[in-house]
Amino acid sequence: MKRIYFLFLSLLLGTSCNWKGSNSSVNSESISKNDSSDSSSFSRKWWKEAVVYQIYPRSFKDADNNGIGDIKGIISKLDYIKSLGINVIWLNPVYSSPNVDGGYDISDYQNINPDFGNMQDFDALLKGLHERGIKLVMDLVVNHSSDQHSWFKESRKSRNNPYRDYYHWWPAEKGKPNKRWSFFDVNQDAWMYDKATNSYYLHYFARAQPDLKWENPKVREEVYNLMNFWFKKGVDGFRMDVIPFISKDTTYPVLPEMYKGNFVDYYAHGPKVHDYLKEMNQKVMSHYDVMTVGEGIGLKIGDAQDYVADDRKELNMFFQFESIGLGKGGRDGKYAAPGGYKLTDFKRIFSKWDSVFEKRGWGTVYLGNHDQSRMVSRFGNDKPEFKNPSSKLLFTFLLSMRATPYVYFGDEIGMSNIRFTDIKDYRDLETLNYYEKLKKEGGDLKEFLKGQAEVSRDNGRTPMQWDNSLNAGFSHAQPWLKVNPNYSQVNVAQAEKDSSSILNYFKKMVQLRKDHLNLVYGKYSLLDTANNSIYAYTRTSSKEKNLIVMNFTDKPMVWNIPGNIVPGDLLIGNYPTTQNSIKNINGSNILVLKPYEAKIYSFK
Ligand code: ISL
């Protein structure tokens, strides 16, 4: 049945299909081989056609009732995950970790954090996912390890320890090394003095996250070994944490003039990053049918092809960072920008990133993750009357772009920012350390808390809301981070029952993307660029044409459909369709849109 369905799809798109019965075997032929109207020429890949669902394990489901989500909890929800229609999971780190930074401080790369279970649990999860046709992508955090990793414990013992050169050290007798900025340090200083050897070590993130020295070939071999360990188990890919940062100039010079005031860009442009990724690809990825997605922190349009063009043989995709800067402001982006973001900026950024992959490479599209506040609070409108349509609108966008969509758990039921007002409620070191820094400086703590209520990472980490029982059905014990009190209305059980829920719309959108390969590969063209209320674009191939129109405001709007587009069937809409909303006025087609209304039409 599946085979016939895919043959049909490929016939529709004019490609020959070589379907082998699992979603890993999408053929590698060009999608536009017989399709001269497409400007692009994409080879089909399962990871381009996937919808990825990100799970933050600490917050998903607690099976052993200690207040912390775990692997058995995820296993207990596999049928729910399957019901979403998604086909890849990205799992945030589950490795052994002292949990200074939500598991991004790893003390053993080949073991499971007992908070989350053990290796048998992991194997059962992988099997359960694969049985359901879902692939598993793990988090690879190898710019740094934990200071509790045995490598670092050895490294800091003496200057001639065999592991010394696994990390970046600077002998204190040479004076203080040149300034490097740390993301999470209370003093924002990335050099930490270590008394045992009278030296400083480098940590771009917290003090407990020393940076690994990729310049040492032994470190690279260790990383490739651990990657092979997981691939041999059958995992299907890696999301690579801050991967552009791995290469460093080990003379640690003063920041070149062009990077002054922008240390992130400097970190992202180390001299050997591409050599390392090529080596990694050749030694590891080239041996498996797996996907890789880099966290593209600091990367610019001009860097894109170098990372992901097929012939570069480095990564498959990366997350661009421009769009998640939208709506943030103030010092270090730790405050909300007054007035939020401008739709014209949103459109410009996503259109620009589409165009960079128009001919080569492949992109990603996402509006939230474990480092961001909730999608609907940020890019939609979480007021009770608008949360439902604006969440659906955002899914219409995410699932109709030419890029692999990444969806963050909980967004499918409209989970929104918890907006803590008391510093005691926060658990994230980013918020806590910055608060301490400001306190020391005598900064405005009230204003900081106001900003964090909108932009803190903990907004995106509150426990999953399963039902309206105690702690939202997440755990019988006090959860590690407070549950959003709106859980009595916003929860999975409720959403499953309600045919007009965000959840049910999300599932329909996922299905629509699966049924219309044009939404994956078709050419993207932005319409009405300057319109600050409506986002409209077409997706076209020679076999199908789609028009996507979304009203990003809380007011009704009208939109003039360009004369060359005559909308046909309405494929999906986020309001119940009672009447045709296209009016012909003086020969022009006008579309009447309700607040946050989103529609996808086909057209000839
Ligand atoms: O979270 C951020 C802003 O609020 C980012 O600056 C973040 O630190 C950056 O995107 C890197 O993120 C990744 O590496 C960090 C970890 O804390 C994040 O969770 C991870 O996604 C260090 O490993």
Side-chain angles (χ1 to χ4, degrees):
M1 190 60 205
K2 248 181 176 177
R3 191 185 158 87
I4 294 170
Y5 168 72
F6 274 90
L7 275 173
F8 179 66
L9 265 187
S10 59
L11 279 175
L12 265 182
L13 279 139
T15 54
S16 68
C17 195
N18 180 15
W19 180 252
K20 290 183 200 132
S22 102
N23 62 352
S24 66
S25 14
V26 174
N27 79 29
S28 57
E29 290 190 38
S30 157
I31 195 73
S32 55
K33 204 169 152 198
N34 305 316
D35 190 351
S36 54
S37 72
D38 283 347
S39 63
S40 49
S41 169
F42 295 111
S43 59
R44 290 186 62 186
K45 295 277 188 242
W46 62 266
W47 43 266
K48 294 180 183 173
E49 295 173 23
V51 177
V52 184
Y53 182 71
Q54 183 190 346
I55 293 182
Y56 193 69
R58 193 163 285 272
S59 302
F60 197 63
K61 171 73 188 164
D62 176 16
D64 61 0
N65 288 308
N66 63 354
I68 298 172
D70 44 44
I71 294 176
K72 282 207 169 98
I74 303 175
I75 294 175
S76 72
K77 295 296 181 185
L78 281 176
D79 289 338
Y80 170 74
I81 295 168
K82 170 78 184 163
S83 77
L84 299 174
I86 58 88
N87 30 29
V88 176
I89 296 290
W90 155 24
L91 188 62
N92 287 105
V94 288
Y95 316 96
S96 306
S97 163
N99 193 34
V100 169
D101 177 23
Y104 282 88
D105 46 318
I106 296 169
S107 52
D108 182 349
Y109 289 95
Q110 295 178 26
N111 254 315
I112 300 293
N113 182 342
D115 279 354
F116 298 136
N118 56 36
M119 200 55 96
Q120 277 94 42
D121 298 334
F122 177 83
D123 292 340
L125 173 64
L126 185 59
K127 188 161 169 275
L129 286 168
H130 283 171
E131 280 167 0
R132 288 166 180 79
I134 300 170
K135 292 175 178 290
L136 178 62
V137 167
M138 305 275 284
D139 222 302
L140 183 74
V141 190
V142 287
N143 171 70
H144 45 269
S145 72
S146 159
D147 63 351
Q148 297 309 303
H149 195 293
S150 59
W151 300 335
F152 191 72
K153 285 187 180 166
E154 286 298 315
S155 185
R156 80 193 318 179
K157 278 184 185 162
S158 71
R159 288 188 180 188
N160 52 16
N161 187 285
Y163 288 90
R164 183 66 170 181
D165 213 27
Y166 271 43
Y167 296 88
H168 297 268
W169 290 101
W170 180 269
E173 64 271 17
K174 282 170 71 180
K176 255 215 105 172
N178 287 317
K179 172 98 181 145
R180 291 291 180 268
W181 284 259
S182 157
F183 284 79
F184 298 151
D185 192 81
V186 229
N187 303 326
Q188 294 186 321
D189 184 352
W191 287 109
M192 177 71 193
Y193 179 71
D194 204 44
K195 203 160 163 242
T197 57
N198 185 36
S199 306
Y200 296 89
Y201 66 84
L202 187 66
H203 62 94
Y204 281 178
F205 293 90
R207 291 174 190 174
Q209 293 168 296
D211 282 41
L212 283 159
K213 192 169 177 187
W214 276 67
E215 289 67 29
N216 178 351
K218 283 194 200 141
V219 168
R220 304 205 296 278
E221 277 312 310
E222 299 270 14
V223 171
Y224 306 150
N225 287 343
L226 77 91
M227 292 175 77
N228 276 317
F229 169 83
W230 291 100
F231 282 145
K232 282 189 184 136
K233 271 189 173 288
V235 313
D236 304 287
F238 279 114
R239 172 266 184 192
M240 302 188 182
D241 194 62
V242 294
I243 200 73
F245 288 2
I246 55 178
S247 157
K248 281 140 188 137
D249 178 341
T250 53
T251 63
Y252 315 110
V254 172
L255 238 57
E257 205 50 48
M258 65 184 284
Y259 292 112
K260 285 277 161 63
N262 196 346
F263 70 92
V264 176
D265 279 11
Y266 175 72
Y267 290 178
H269 291 88
K272 291 208 160 157
V273 62
H274 294 294
D275 297 344
Y276 298 156
L277 289 177
K278 279 190 168 45
E279 182 182 82
M280 180 199 273
N281 187 308
Q282 187 246 319
K283 291 204 169 173
V284 188
M285 280 93 86
S286 68
H287 301 288
Y288 311 90
D289 178 19
V290 291
M291 66 166 254
T292 51
V293 52
E295 193 192 17
I297 186 164
L299 298 189
K300 302 279 175 294
I301 287 277
D303 303 311
Q305 294 298 339
D306 289 348
Y307 275 84
V308 299
D310 288 353
D311 57 352
R312 295 278 301 179
K313 300 209 180 324
E314 295 189 18
L315 302 179
N316 297 141
M317 302 170 259
F318 66 79
F319 298 120
Q320 53 85 5
F321 263 56
E322 250 183 284
S323 48
I324 53 157
L326 285 168
K328 286 187 185 170
R331 270 203 301 163
D332 301 316
K334 291 192 167 49
Y335 301 80
Y341 71 100
K342 270 176 72 183
L343 182 64
T344 43
D345 290 335
F346 187 95
K347 288 159 61 165
R348 179 179 43 78
I349 291 173
F350 284 105
S351 302
K352 184 168 81 173
W353 281 94
D354 173 83
S355 71
V356 76
F357 300 120
E358 180 140 33
K359 295 206 166 53
R360 295 161 76 222
W362 190 252
T364 60
V365 57
Y366 69 104
L367 292 173
N369 62 33
H370 65 292
D371 290 337
Q372 304 300 322
S373 53
R374 282 284 169 185
M375 163 180 105
V376 68
S377 302
R378 222 178 138 184
F379 296 108
N381 186 330
D382 64 11
K383 288 201 185 113
E385 66 273 36
F386 297 125
K387 188 150 88 171
N388 180 305
S390 70
S391 289
K392 290 175 178 173
L393 168 141
L394 295 173
F395 282 127
T396 312
F397 163 72
L398 277 174
L399 293 158
S400 67
M401 289 295 280
R402 177 170 57 186
T404 299
Y406 288 73
V407 175
Y408 187 54
F409 88 93
D411 282 348
E412 77 276 20
I413 54 166
M415 282 176 62
S416 52
N417 285 353
I418 191 162
R419 301 194 169 93
F420 291 135
T421 51
D422 188 340
I423 189 70
K424 289 198 200 78
D425 286 329
Y426 284 98
R427 296 289 171 270
D428 180 19
L429 89 167
E430 183 177 40
T431 304
L432 298 174
N433 285 1
Y434 203 86
Y435 184 88
E436 279 314 308
K437 170 186 132 67
L438 276 183
K439 208 162 134 185
K440 273 206 238 160
E441 291 168 356
D444 188 340
L445 296 173
K446 241 172 125 182
E447 192 211 351
F448 174 67
L449 283 178
K450 210 171 127 215
Q452 287 293 290
E454 294 304 326
V455 307
S456 77
R457 306 199 296 183
D458 278 341
N459 274 312
R461 297 179 180 183
T462 61
M464 179 65 163
Q465 297 164 206
W466 292 105
D467 55 39
N468 63 8
S469 68
L470 177 74
N471 301 323
F474 164 72
S475 172
H476 295 161
Q478 178 70 39
W480 71 277
L481 181 67
K482 278 189 179 165
V483 175
N484 193 316
N486 69 14
Y487 77 85
S488 49
Q489 302 94 49
V490 180
N491 61 64
V492 171
Q494 167 65 30
E496 282 180 331
K497 277 192 296 210
D498 172 6
S499 62
S500 67
S501 65
I502 300 162
L503 177 66
N504 280 312
Y505 184 83
F506 169 69
K507 290 181 190 176
K508 279 188 213 143
M509 259 320 293
V510 173
Q511 192 56 45
L512 191 77
R513 188 174 177 89
K514 283 189 188 162
D515 292 346
H516 294 259
L517 225 44
N518 183 48
L519 293 177
V520 178
Y521 294 109
K523 180 178 165 57
Y524 162 96
S525 309
L526 177 65
L527 304 170
D528 201 359
T529 312
N531 194 322
N532 200 33
S533 307
I534 306 285
Y535 191 175
Y537 48 88
T538 57
R539 302 292 315 279
T540 54
S541 61
S542 65
K543 299 290 181 282
E544 192 179 355
K545 294 187 169 60
N546 300 124
L547 169 69
I548 295 97
V549 189
M550 298 168 287
N551 172 9
F552 268 69
T553 75
D554 60 3
K555 310 263 176 328
M557 287 283 156
V558 290
W559 187 64
N560 290 317
I561 301 173
N564 58 333
I565 298 175
V566 182
D569 291 343
L570 178 67
L571 300 182
I572 197 164
N574 64 347
Y575 276 88
T577 36
T578 43
Q579 58 190 48
N580 190 355
S581 48
I582 300 178
K583 314 265 175 254
N584 193 290
I585 299 174
N586 297 333
S588 313
N589 281 324
I590 309 281
L591 185 60
V592 182
L593 294 159
K594 299 187 181 75
Y596 297 105
E597 186 157 21
K599 290 177 169 237
I600 302 186
Y601 290 95
S602 59
F603 69 98
K604 292 268 181 296

